Amino acid sequence: MNHPFPAQARGGLAPLADALPFLALRLASCALDGLREGAPATFRDVVAYATYAPLYLAGPVATYGDFVVRAPPPGVASYAARTAIAGLYLEAALRRTHVYALAASGAYGALPPGAAAAFAFLFVNVLWLKFAFLWRCFRCWALADGVAAPENMRRFVCDNFTIAGFWRGWHASFNGWLRAYVYDDARRAAGPAAASAVAFGFVAFWHDATPRLALWGAANVGFLALERALGLERRARAVVAAGEAGPRRRAAAAAAAGSILALIAGNVAGYALGAGGVARLAGAVAARDVAGGAAVLAAAFVVLYAGAMAALAVRRLEHVHDAEARGDDAAGKRPRSPARAAA
């Protein structure tokens, strides 16, 4: 009798090869934590950690130390409800926006400038939803088992105003693994620019050793180096801390809009079209309607600028809330007096 899914008949629904990248991260975490602490993990703990079912196939990437500690997890029911809502959003997005079909077929090249811009923007948003739902399902399973696995997608893709901040919130558990075992050591040895190059090179190779992902890594290293040289994240944080609503906040939002445009282009090139696909898309738009393409780019900048202003306002609210929780003033600079706290 022929099996309807021959590959699955030989290797199961999740063949070992699909789990090897995450398995390698977990085994490396076991070994490196044991070397740093001078207390190698027991065979039983290594097997339990490396083959833990909820996180086996796709993560989130809990380090060995976090897995062994077993911190009390947050409420599972509310998290499961939010995961279900994310799944409903993803289903609606896939039914209404056929971004994957456009990317796979190459039909994006025939889109007019406005539709091409919408395609690039929606692709990144749907990509975020897909990964958020996938990882939250596995994290919810781990939480139900009593393991406080880390949250992978901490902020919605549009709720960012720097490239560095975006990557701290996208696949955050992998980011934490990279900081613990790759980036921090490389930064101490060669500085932040070289550390970023090493980290993104590792990420590109870990995902898939292809020219497209190598270009994606190189583009992000360049974007981060420029952002660091201009001090964009530092300035944006200063605006949030001071609660400014004047020219400095508008300048920070304008810089953020430029960063987001670069981020969208880099991710569409790396995850969907490749450099050639992006070049074909830009060429098709330029050949058909240069003025229209420029107008769409300007309109996209204005929309992203407005979104960055909103993101800065959200960060300010979060900053004030955190400062009040610590007993600081609204700017988070000094402790409030008892009279102010009572008021």
Side-chain angles (χ1 to χ4, degrees):
M1 178 179 174
N2 293 328
H3 196 282
F5 305 102
Q8 283 81 348
R10 293 192 299 272
L13 290 176
L16 177 62
D18 293 348
L20 279 178
F22 286 95
L23 184 61
L25 296 183
R26 287 191 287 270
L27 292 177
S29 179
C30 272
L32 293 172
D33 282 1
L35 287 174
R36 290 175 178 179
E37 298 173 6
T42 65
F43 178 76
R44 175 185 174 184
D45 287 342
V46 169
V47 172
Y49 171 60
T51 62
Y52 183 58
L55 310 182
Y56 176 74
L57 185 61
V61 185
T63 64
Y64 175 73
D66 292 339
F67 178 81
V68 172
V69 169
R70 293 290 184 101
V76 179
S78 62
Y79 190 79
R82 287 185 283 128
T83 300
I85 292 171
L88 292 174
Y89 271 117
L90 175 61
E91 181 67 18
L94 290 175
R95 288 177 178 272
R96 299 290 295 178
T97 60
H98 309 295
V99 290
Y100 287 106
L102 287 170
S105 66
Y108 56 83
L111 296 174
F119 161 72
F121 180 73
L122 288 171
F123 182 88
V124 174
N125 280 265
V126 172
L127 192 68
W128 186 94
L129 269 174
K130 180 186 79 170
F131 284 131
F133 179 64
L134 168 76
W135 281 319
R136 287 181 180 181
C137 285
F138 289 127
R139 182 173 186 253
C140 190
W141 182 7
L143 292 178
D145 190 44
V147 175
E151 176 62 67
N152 252 351
M153 305 299 251
R154 294 180 178 175
R155 287 191 182 275
F156 183 53
V157 63
C158 294
D159 187 18
N160 288 281
F161 47 81
T162 63
I163 294 174
F166 171 83
W167 284 120
R168 278 194 294 270
W170 178 293
H171 203 169
S173 66
F174 190 25
N175 180 278
W177 190 97
L178 287 168
R179 289 195 70 89
Y181 304 118
V182 178
Y183 180 84
D184 287 345
D185 291 337
R187 182 174 183 174
R188 284 191 290 269
S196 295
V198 171
F200 273 102
F202 179 90
V203 172
F205 181 80
W206 179 80
H207 276 95
D208 197 1
T210 61
R212 185 173 71 180
L213 282 173
L215 177 64
W216 165 86
N220 276 284
V221 169
F223 295 153
L224 283 171
L226 180 61
E227 186 176 86
R228 189 180 293 113
L230 297 175
L232 299 183
E233 186 172 32
R234 173 178 51 80
R235 294 178 182 180
R237 287 181 174 178
V239 167
V240 169
E244 294 191 24
R248 288 181 62 190
R249 181 176 174 183
R250 290 192 287 272
S259 295
I260 295 167
L261 283 173
L263 193 61
I264 290 173
N267 279 290
V268 169
Y271 286 104
L273 309 183
V278 171
R280 286 193 298 274
L281 180 60
V285 170
R288 191 180 301 113
D289 188 0
V290 176
V296 167
L297 185 62
F301 183 87
V302 171
V303 170
L304 294 174
Y305 169 84
M309 290 287 282
L312 288 167
V314 170
R315 292 297 197 284
R316 175 59 186 171
L317 292 174
E318 293 174 353
H319 181 82
V320 171
H321 178 271
D322 292 342
E324 290 178 347
R326 294 192 305 267
D328 300 344
D329 68 353
K333 295 179 180 177
R334 62 180 182 276
R336 294 181 297 174
S337 66
R340 288 183 66 191

